Amino acid sequence: MGVSWCSVLRVVVVVQAAWSLVAGQVRYSVPEEAKAGTVVGRLSQDLGLEAGDAESRRLRLVSQGRRASVEVSGASGALVVSSRLDREELCGKSAPCALRLEVLVDRPLRVFHVELEVTDINDNAPLFPAARKNLSMAESSLPGSRFPLEGASDADIGANAQLSYTLSPSEHFTLDVKSSDEIRKSVFLVLTKPLDRETLPVHRLVLTASDGGRPSLTGTMELLILVLDVNDNAPQFNQSVYKVQLPENAAEGTLVVCVNATDPDLGIYGEVLYEIDTIVPASASDVFSIDANSGEIRLRGALDFETVTFYDLHIKAKDKGTPPLSGHCSVELEVLDVNDNAPEVWVTSLSVPVSEDAAVGTVVALLSVSDRDSGSNGRVRCAVWPASPFGLVSTFAGSYSLVLREALDRERVSEYEVEVRAEDGGSPPLRASRGVRVPVSDVNDNAPAFAQAVYTVLARENNAAGAELARVWARDPDEAGNGRVSYSVWEGGVGAASSGGGWRSASSYVSVDAESGRLWALRPLDYEEVQVLQFEVRAVDAGEPSLCGNATVQVFVVDENDNAPALLPASGGGAWSGSSSEAASVPGSGSVWAWASWGTPAGQVVAKIRAVDADSGYNAWLRYELWEPRGKGPFRVGLYSGEVSTARALEEADGPRQRLVIVVRDHGEPSLSATATLSVSLVEGGEAALAAAGSSSSSSSSGVGLRPAEGGASVSSSAATNVWLVVAICAVSSLFLLAVVLYVASRWAPRAAVLSGPGAATLVCASEVGSWSYSQRQSRSLCVADGAGKSDLMVFSPNFPPAPAPPVPAAKESHPEAPALLDTVSGPPFLASRPFSPFCPVP
């Protein structure tokens, strides 16, 4: 038998690679029992792949739950036999035996369907149910009597399973074979000559079954025939074949059929007993039972259409004679399918994670669906839940692709739990599902976004270098490097109010920590140099390509009282001699001269002290105090105007000269101050006018105030003639008249005006019940009437309701003039004509 196998394999190992690309399917055939390594077909070439693609694109088979016994050679891309191919084990009696294989390739992911037909070879010999069969025959049996024999079975199919029977030579028996269909044959042993028990009580015959293969294989069974005496009528069934149909879900104990046989003998020879002689398949021997007396055949086990669809029961009826005679019939049971198998879903390939920028139509997974039932019970419908963003596309019978239907957004949903649901067409339908976890991978599609578009920071001037000013924060919803944010200062410009003016880069003032977003001061800030520092902080993620976001940072420098008041040239052109010190300092030496006439009434302005403070707000709000002489002197100083005026009418008793020490203080904490010394000479009215005229002409030509010699100036009447006296009186009168006109013009000249930028103007008011703060509305300049302008940006927020305006006192010094406000718009400044009160809000 082994020799026959080798010859068959040598002859039949011909692989038919007849393949067609109908609906994307490749077909091959290979004989069973082909040796491992046998090439089934050039799969890579037949699928249209280039040389080398089989290995680079990972050409491979996907199993669907059972061993395929073939594999793809990685190097050549050929389909080869990997293990023993047994058609009978794979398909049983089904013909043809076709294996459905799925072949996958990557880059891009594609699926091909390959059908491998395993052809039958004659590798199974006919097999009888038993090696020996005992028969009992009455010697009274008439020639022509027929005795059924159980035929052999062959696991092969087709011609290899076509059986023929021969009987060893005998003068009493012959063989009669009848075909009920192409597969099943009924074998009968026919008596041709009367038996004689006394001559030959036992007949030994050999029944041989041969199949139709080339070469043919055979199987034998020994027939042992005992010749009996007396009982010469065997039971006879009312029909030779009983055909029955039962659903596979029939319950245990269900009646299959009731067979009936009769025996014409009398007495115990006519009493019939029933038994199941044989069952095909033999494994079903415990599925059926028969009542020996009634002939009822019932189910003793469960039927399964998916395992066995047809049963053939051989029933024997025998009488109680000695020896007993028997009759035979067959029961053919067809099992009907019911919907008792739910669909099965397999994930054959899964490509995860899916990039959130994957295109619509991208294949995420490949699935296979099957149902063991048949007909409508085995037809499966599939759906995916939730319905978006994924969908199912049928690629082949029982094969589906899970594809992307909508665009993904990892920041909205980072992972999907997709459920593939299958439902068959039975009634009621059965369902099955399979969960697929689809994570979404991140791409850099979100730029960092700051919590605020504009950050407003208040920083005191003279802060320490390295001090933390603020912290900015930007959020990037991406993950890993795509969401890791680093910060930097964008190189913009910043306004500088220093003596040099111009613009300076923001990076020279501040820096930002790249990881935390903390803003640090690189050097101390000076309000007099920079009042508002505005720049942009840029947040950049680590994605590829990187994305960025910007935020504007406005650092408002809060003024500190770090500048003492500075004295300006005095009215009349005189130069001040003094010093700047703390509020408790004692005035220094030095003087500037002024002249006053005896008899000057109270309230007459003699001189005006002019000072400016580089600070702003309260720190730049100046007040003037008379330090010396203390007590009730002939002069007084306006608290906020700085005007030195007579407190009473001047008398000769006041002496020829008065020395005044005036302290100029700001309102800062602590207060800073400067001192000025003013010498006032008391002279006659004519001399005072002459001195004023001389001082005016000298100041207009040289810019230096008059400083008479120590001891005063006297006029010697004896040194001048009358002519020159008249000329001098006219000149002095002319100069005095000119001085009066200039003085009146200067007193009634318009003050600094307020220029407003876009929008309504905002007046700034200082009050001791209020507080100073910064505003982003507009920038203004603070200056005295004829001093240098400086930048100031303030808004007053009172803590109490505005107080009513106090009555205007008559004295001139009770009308202190606060520094005027100048807008920082381009163009020359204009002086304000409206007085400013520091004690009440301006309506």
Side-chain angles (χ1 to χ4, degrees):
M1 189 172 183
V3 175
S4 300
W5 269 57
C6 293
S7 61
V8 169
L9 289 177
R10 283 194 297 268
V11 174
V12 183
V13 176
V14 177
V15 177
Q16 296 181 349
W19 60 280
S20 63
L21 294 177
V22 179
Q25 184 171 355
V26 180
R27 300 177 182 272
Y28 296 102
S29 65
V30 62
E32 66 174 328
E33 303 298 339
K35 292 182 179 179
T38 300
V39 177
V40 177
R42 295 185 180 88
L43 182 59
S44 175
Q45 179 179 347
D46 295 341
L47 292 178
L49 301 180
E50 298 293 336
D53 281 359
E55 190 168 7
S56 62
R57 294 182 62 183
R58 296 184 61 229
L59 181 65
R60 62 194 184 276
L61 288 180
V62 178
S63 175
Q64 293 189 2
R66 60 181 181 179
R67 182 170 56 88
S69 300
V70 291
E71 63 183 8
V72 176
S73 175
S76 62
L79 187 66
V80 298
V81 177
S82 61
S83 59
R84 179 174 176 264
L85 278 171
D86 188 356
R87 191 205 64 79
E88 289 74 32
E89 179 182 350
L90 294 174
C91 302
K93 298 291 286 185
S94 299
C97 180
L99 301 181
R100 289 178 56 200
L101 307 175
E102 286 186 357
V103 180
L104 298 181
V105 291
D106 292 337
R107 298 191 302 273
L109 178 65
R110 291 189 60 189
V111 60
F112 298 94
H113 296 275
V114 177
E115 184 172 290
L116 177 63
E117 180 181 357
V118 181
T119 59
D120 184 49
I121 65 172
N122 193 23
D123 58 340
N124 290 281
L127 182 64
F128 286 93
R132 175 182 293 180
K133 177 72 172 178
N134 295 324
L135 296 175
S136 297
M137 296 185 185
E139 62 175 338
S140 58
S141 298
L142 299 176
S145 298
R146 302 166 63 85
F147 302 93
L149 299 177
E150 186 175 1
S153 61
D154 195 323
D156 295 323
I157 62 173
N160 297 328
Q162 296 291 333
L163 302 181
S164 61
Y165 297 90
T166 58
L167 189 64
S168 59
S170 173
E171 62 177 328
H172 292 88
F173 298 95
T174 186
L175 201 62
D176 184 18
V177 180
K178 292 185 176 181
S179 299
S180 58
D181 54 33
E182 295 181 356
I183 300 176
R184 289 182 294 275
K185 292 185 178 181
S186 299
V187 182
F188 296 93
L189 186 64
V190 181
L191 183 62
T192 58
K193 183 179 178 180
L195 299 174
D196 187 1
R197 189 188 63 82
E198 289 75 24
T199 303
L200 186 60
V202 176
H203 295 265
R204 296 182 180 273
L205 304 175
V206 176
L207 178 61
T208 302
S210 302
D211 60 24
R214 293 293 182 269
S216 177
L217 301 180
T218 61
T220 61
M221 181 177 65
E222 182 182 7
L223 298 178
L224 186 61
I225 303 172
L226 300 177
V227 180
L228 304 178
D229 199 11
V230 182
N231 190 19
D232 56 353
N233 288 292
Q236 296 292 324
F237 285 93
N238 56 0
Q239 58 186 82
S240 60
V241 177
Y242 292 84
K243 294 184 180 292
V244 182
Q245 292 181 333
L246 277 181
E248 62 174 323
N249 62 347
E252 183 178 345
T254 300
L255 176 65
V256 178
V257 70
C258 182
V259 296
N260 183 43
T262 58
D263 193 325
D265 293 330
L266 298 175
I268 61 173
Y269 299 114
E271 295 180 6
V272 179
L273 297 177
Y274 301 94
E275 64 181 36
I276 299 176
D277 195 14
T278 58
I279 299 178
V280 178
S283 60
S285 59
D286 57 348
V287 177
F288 303 96
S289 64
I290 189 170
D291 189 297
N293 296 316
S294 64
E296 291 182 350
I297 302 176
R298 295 184 178 274
L299 285 178
R300 194 170 64 179
L303 300 178
D304 188 359
F305 176 84
E306 289 70 38
T307 304
V308 181
T309 61
F310 186 85
Y311 293 91
D312 190 1
L313 288 73
H314 295 275
I315 310 300
K316 179 171 71 173
K318 62 181 180 180
D319 58 23
K320 296 182 179 180
T322 304
L325 300 179
S326 61
H328 298 80
C329 74
S330 64
V331 177
E332 297 179 354
L333 173 60
E334 180 182 358
V335 181
L336 302 179
D337 183 44
V338 296
N339 192 25
D340 60 343
N341 289 281
E344 295 177 322
V345 182
W346 295 286
V347 178
T348 58
S349 180
L350 186 62
S351 297
V352 292
V354 180
S355 176
E356 65 175 318
D357 62 349
V360 174
T362 300
V363 177
V364 178
L366 299 177
L367 304 105
S368 294
V369 181
S370 65
D371 193 317
R372 297 179 61 197
D373 294 322
S374 63
S376 61
N377 296 331
R379 285 194 293 271
V380 181
R381 300 183 299 273
C382 287
V384 65
W385 187 91
S388 62
F390 300 99
L392 285 179
V393 175
S394 178
T395 58
F396 196 72
S399 298
Y400 293 88
S401 295
L402 183 65
V403 299
L404 190 62
R405 295 288 194 192
E406 299 175 4
L408 300 177
D409 185 1
R410 190 204 64 82
E411 288 69 40
R412 185 173 59 88
V413 180
S414 61
E415 184 176 286
Y416 291 89
E417 290 292 340
V418 181
E419 185 179 30
V420 179
R421 298 175 176 178
E423 179 181 281
D424 61 26
S427 182
L430 298 180
R431 300 174 180 86
S433 63
R434 174 76 65 176
V436 180
R437 177 178 168 269
V438 183
V440 181
S441 61
D442 184 52
V443 297
N444 192 24
D445 58 346
N446 290 278
F450 282 90
Q452 300 173 222
V454 178
Y455 290 84
T456 301
V457 181
L458 298 180
R460 292 190 175 273
E461 68 170 328
N462 303 318
N463 61 301
E468 181 177 346
L469 300 178
R471 181 176 181 180
V472 296
W473 179 76
R475 176 180 179 272
D476 193 323
D478 294 323
E479 66 177 357
N482 296 332
R484 188 168 57 251
V485 178
S486 60
Y487 303 90
S488 62
V489 175
W490 181 72
E491 287 297 334
V494 59
S498 62
S499 59
W503 294 86
R504 296 183 182 177
S505 64
S507 60
S508 64
Y509 290 91
V510 295
S511 67
V512 62
D513 187 274
E515 294 183 0
S516 65
R518 288 185 171 88
L519 290 171
W520 310 95
L522 295 179
R523 63 180 183 178
L525 299 175
D526 186 358
Y527 176 84
E528 289 70 42
E529 178 184 354
V530 177
Q531 291 80 44
V532 180
L533 184 64
Q534 179 168 317
F535 55 91
E536 285 191 357
V537 175
R538 178 166 294 176
V540 182
D541 60 29
E544 192 63 38
S546 61
L547 302 177
C548 67
N550 297 327
T552 300
V553 179
Q554 295 177 337
V555 179
F556 291 92
V557 182
V558 180
D559 183 47
E560 295 285 339
N561 191 26
D562 57 346
N563 290 280
L567 297 172
L568 297 176
S571 300
W576 290 108
S577 174
S579 63
S580 298
S581 64
E582 297 293 333
S585 63
V586 178
S589 61
S591 64
V592 167
W593 292 90
W595 292 267
S597 302
W598 284 321
T600 301
Q604 180 68 40
V605 176
V606 176
K608 184 172 184 178
I609 309 300
R610 302 177 186 274
V612 68
D613 195 317
D615 294 320
S616 67
Y618 268 100
N619 298 329
W621 186 19
L622 303 180
R623 66 180 183 270
Y624 301 84
E625 300 175 3
L626 183 62
W627 186 272
E628 290 182 2
R630 298 182 181 272
K632 295 184 178 180
F635 297 97
R636 60 185 176 188
V637 178
L639 182 62
Y640 295 105
S641 65
E643 293 179 344
V644 180
S645 60
T646 56
R648 55 179 171 78
L650 299 179
E651 302 173 353
E652 292 186 7
D654 293 327
R657 181 187 306 168
Q658 291 286 330
R659 180 176 179 272
L660 307 179
V661 177
I662 299 168
V663 178
V664 184
R665 304 178 188 274
D666 58 28
H667 285 74
E669 289 294 338
S671 175
L672 301 180
S673 65
T675 60
T677 302
L678 175 65
S679 294
V680 182
S681 296
L682 304 180
V683 296
E684 293 291 343
E687 294 179 0
L690 180 62
S695 175
S696 299
S697 61
S698 175
S699 64
S700 62
S701 61
S702 63
V704 179
L706 296 177
R707 189 182 297 272
E710 189 70 26
S714 64
V715 181
S716 177
S717 59
S718 62
T721 63
N722 292 334
V723 176
W724 292 110
L725 182 58
V726 172
V727 172
I729 291 173
C730 293
V732 168
S733 300
S734 301
L735 292 176
F736 177 77
L737 181 60
L738 178 62
V740 171
V741 171
L742 293 176
Y743 176 77
V744 172
S746 65
R747 291 295 295 171
W748 290 97
R751 304 292 182 180
V754 176
L755 289 183
S756 298
T762 300
L763 296 179
V764 182
C765 180
S767 173
E768 295 184 357
V769 297
S771 60
W772 295 93
S773 63
Y774 283 90
S775 168
Q776 303 177 39
R777 184 170 183 180
Q778 52 186 333
S779 176
R780 299 188 179 276
S781 294
L782 178 65
C783 70
V784 295
D786 49 358
K790 63 177 181 176
S791 176
D792 188 17
L793 184 63
M794 296 175 292
V795 167
F796 177 67
S797 301
N799 297 328
F800 301 100
V808 179
K812 204 168 189 182
E813 57 269 22
S814 63
H815 295 274
E817 292 181 4
L821 291 176
L822 285 182
D823 201 307
T824 56
V825 297
S826 61
F830 293 89
L831 296 177
S833 60
R834 184 173 184 175
F836 175 81
S837 174
F839 299 105
C840 66
V842 179

